[in-house]
Amino acid sequence: ELSYDALAAIDKDRPALSRHIKTKIEVEIKYSGYISKQESQIGRFKRLETMALPEDMDYASIAGLRLEARQKLDEIKPLSVGQASRISGVSPADISVLIVWLEKTRRQRKKQE
């Protein structure tokens, strides 16, 4: 409940600001934690969109995927992990399994090269 005006007694040298700027500063300070969390989620979603899934992927062979997720993924055949994450019936745990599988597969290919 602290405001820019309430700090006048402590900081005599602070600049005079318009009401709009004061409000903007107060909102940014009060909600910075939430804003950071949202920006982090946006970054995560962008990364998921760039993680491509092979078109011929055999979801039945991926240990740890729930049966419903396997069926939905096999039926829809998403092109990226981001698309897979938006499929009804595919849980965040299933997405984690896909990410681990992709990373493991990438490392195995890199070793073979």
Side-chain angles (χ1 to χ4, degrees):
E1 297 191 25
L2 194 58
S3 69
Y4 189 77
D5 290 332
L7 297 173
I10 298 170
D11 185 6
K12 306 279 187 209
D13 297 327
R14 67 191 179 88
L17 301 174
S18 70
R19 185 173 56 88
H20 174 74
I21 298 296
K22 288 178 194 177
T23 302
K24 184 177 185 231
I25 290 169
E26 290 171 7
V27 167
E28 285 180 11
I29 290 170
K30 289 177 183 178
Y31 295 99
S32 67
Y34 297 110
I35 292 168
S36 294
K37 187 182 246 185
Q38 285 287 276
E39 288 172 346
S40 175
Q41 286 179 330
I42 290 168
R44 182 173 181 265
F45 289 135
K46 285 181 180 178
R47 283 190 302 279
L48 293 179
E49 289 301 325
T50 62
M51 294 178 80
L53 293 171
E55 290 181 34
D56 61 345
M57 193 159 168
D58 179 18
Y59 294 101
S61 70
I62 301 175
L65 279 179
R66 294 174 313 107
L67 179 60
E68 181 182 11
R70 288 177 188 188
Q71 291 170 343
K72 297 273 179 124
L73 291 166
D74 195 45
E75 178 185 332
I76 296 170
K77 301 205 183 300
L79 299 176
S80 71
V81 175
Q83 286 179 352
S85 72
R86 293 188 295 275
I87 297 172
S88 174
V90 177
S91 72
D94 296 319
I95 296 302
S96 293
V97 169
L98 279 177
I99 292 170
V100 168
W101 183 88
L102 284 171
E103 183 61 26
K104 182 179 174 184
T105 303
R106 184 187 66 78
R107 286 182 186 163
Q108 287 174 348
R109 276 193 223 135
K110 205 171 192 177
K111 261 186 183 178
Q112 291 173 355
E113 292 173 358

